[in-house]
Amino acid sequence: MDGADETRDGIALTNLDQALFDGSGATKRDLVDYLDAVAGRIVPHLRGRPLSVVRVRPGQPPFMQKNLPRHTPDWVRRVPIWAEASRREIAYALCDDRRTLLWFANQRAVEYHPTLATVDDLGRPTHLVLDLDPPSDGGFAAGVAAALLVRQALADAGLAGAVKTSGAKGVHVFVPVAAGPDAEELAAATRALAARAERLDPALATTAFIREDRGGKVFVDPTRSGGATVVSVYSPRLRPGVPVSFPVPWADLESVTPADFTIRTAAALVTDEDPWADLMPAPQHLPTDLVEEGRTIPVPRVQAMHEGRRRARARRAAAD
């Protein structure tokens, strides 16, 4: 075995000295070392949740992997889930321990996207999530400003959430939900909260699902519900410098940048505690009026599909 290979927890790690991906400024060893160092922090947030990962192979574009490959070891836990879009059963991994995490790291899995529900009850997400996505020419500060709108909308509804960087330029707000509501109710509440945040400052925030309709505003994404996934806290991102999605106290949010948290720096910040667990409020009951308000708001993807068809018909009519 050459100097670029080694074994940890029974996992043969290979090609560790190769560049992780073009422009990463990191090696595969850096990825493995980081994930190994934070295994005790990230695994509790992945455990029991069907997992999709973003992998990158030398000389190939990155790809999202949901279905486990045939060569996956038998000891990797998995759960079969029917995918309506592709009309087939998908074998999702459950990353329940350090050994599985190291196996994924050796597969060059850079990003970790668990579901919002656990395998025990896939129809009842444990968290309500709002994803704040600045425009392509916008910066992190715009996403922070929109996150503060969401915080205010939550407070007005008697709710509280925790916030983390997305690891890209966006921000994620997580609201833990007490047992009870199903995916439809959480989706409705998410739409209502997004709309309330937009109303607080419509010059900054928008819930427009169609990108060309956003007018350079921050997209308050109300679609992270049901079977959706969100990149995990402590997950690396496929970006230059390999930033990490990292929890931030609300009071510090305006004074940090995504580059403050990378696979080279983040592990040292979680040696003694799990700040995500510490910052997360206790699970909360959703107000009935919030759910009912959300049910009056069209589902964004469905609305966008119908609007796209309407615009296509209008273009064809204009061309004729």
Side-chain angles (χ1 to χ4, degrees):
M1 186 162 57
D2 64 37
D5 296 354
E6 61 182 77
T7 300
R8 300 186 201 179
D9 206 358
I11 302 298
L13 304 166
T14 58
N15 302 314
L16 292 175
D17 293 337
Q18 284 186 353
L20 185 56
F21 55 86
D22 289 345
S24 66
T27 64
K28 184 179 173 183
R29 181 183 298 278
D30 292 324
L31 174 70
V32 170
D33 285 349
Y34 167 74
L35 289 170
D36 199 6
V38 302
R41 301 293 179 237
I42 191 173
V43 167
H45 302 292
L46 301 176
R47 185 176 291 126
R49 298 177 185 270
L51 180 67
S52 302
V53 296
V54 177
R55 295 176 55 195
V56 58
R57 292 171 173 161
Q60 298 182 26
F63 62 98
M64 175 74 84
Q65 175 184 290
K66 298 182 179 183
N67 204 22
L68 282 170
R70 289 195 181 95
H71 62 75
T72 302
D74 291 341
W75 51 261
V76 173
R77 283 192 66 206
R78 65 204 71 194
V79 58
I81 298 177
W82 180 256
E84 195 62 41
S86 55
R87 306 293 300 172
R88 64 186 179 122
E89 197 171 73
I90 302 292
Y92 283 87
L94 299 174
C95 188
D96 290 351
D97 51 36
R98 172 182 179 241
R99 188 186 187 193
T100 305
L101 185 66
L102 287 172
W103 179 80
F104 271 117
N106 192 56
Q107 298 292 309
R108 291 176 176 266
V110 178
E111 298 190 5
Y112 295 76
H113 296 250
T115 58
L116 294 173
T118 69
V119 70
D120 294 331
D121 193 343
L122 290 173
R124 296 185 186 276
T126 58
H127 294 76
L128 180 156
V129 176
L130 285 160
D131 179 3
L132 294 313
D133 184 17
S136 56
D137 58 351
F140 180 69
V144 168
L148 295 175
L149 296 181
V150 169
R151 187 189 192 194
Q152 183 61 54
L154 287 170
D156 292 344
L159 298 171
V163 65
K164 67 183 180 74
T165 67
S166 71
K169 65 184 179 194
V171 181
H172 295 152
V173 178
F174 272 60
V175 181
V177 177
D182 60 20
E184 184 275 331
E185 291 169 300
L186 258 75
T190 305
R191 293 195 298 274
L193 283 167
R196 291 183 182 189
E198 179 183 30
R199 288 198 297 270
L200 288 172
D201 189 349
L204 169 67
T206 179
T207 56
F209 189 78
I210 299 174
R211 190 177 298 273
E212 64 192 50
D213 293 346
R214 295 178 191 167
K217 302 174 187 178
V218 177
F219 178 42
V220 184
D221 186 352
T223 67
R224 303 292 184 164
S225 57
T229 64
V230 180
V231 71
S232 175
V233 66
Y234 308 125
S235 172
R237 301 303 304 270
L238 204 73
R239 303 287 192 280
V242 201
V244 169
S245 179
F246 204 82
V248 181
W250 281 105
D252 297 343
L253 190 58
E254 292 177 285
S255 61
V256 302
T257 70
D260 293 339
F261 312 107
T262 73
I263 60 169
R264 297 188 189 278
T265 64
L269 302 175
V270 295
T271 53
D272 299 323
E273 58 185 7
D274 177 359
W276 191 229
D278 294 342
L279 294 169
M280 190 68 65
Q284 299 147 86
H285 293 282
L286 293 180
T288 301
D289 68 309
L290 192 69
V291 175
E292 292 308 313
E293 179 183 335
R295 284 175 168 153
T296 69
I297 300 172
V299 175
R301 294 182 190 279
V302 175
Q303 184 183 35
M305 179 183 67
H306 291 311
E307 178 62 15
R309 290 173 177 170
R310 187 195 68 77
R311 293 182 187 186
R313 288 195 299 269
R315 286 194 294 270
R316 288 195 297 270
D320 292 341

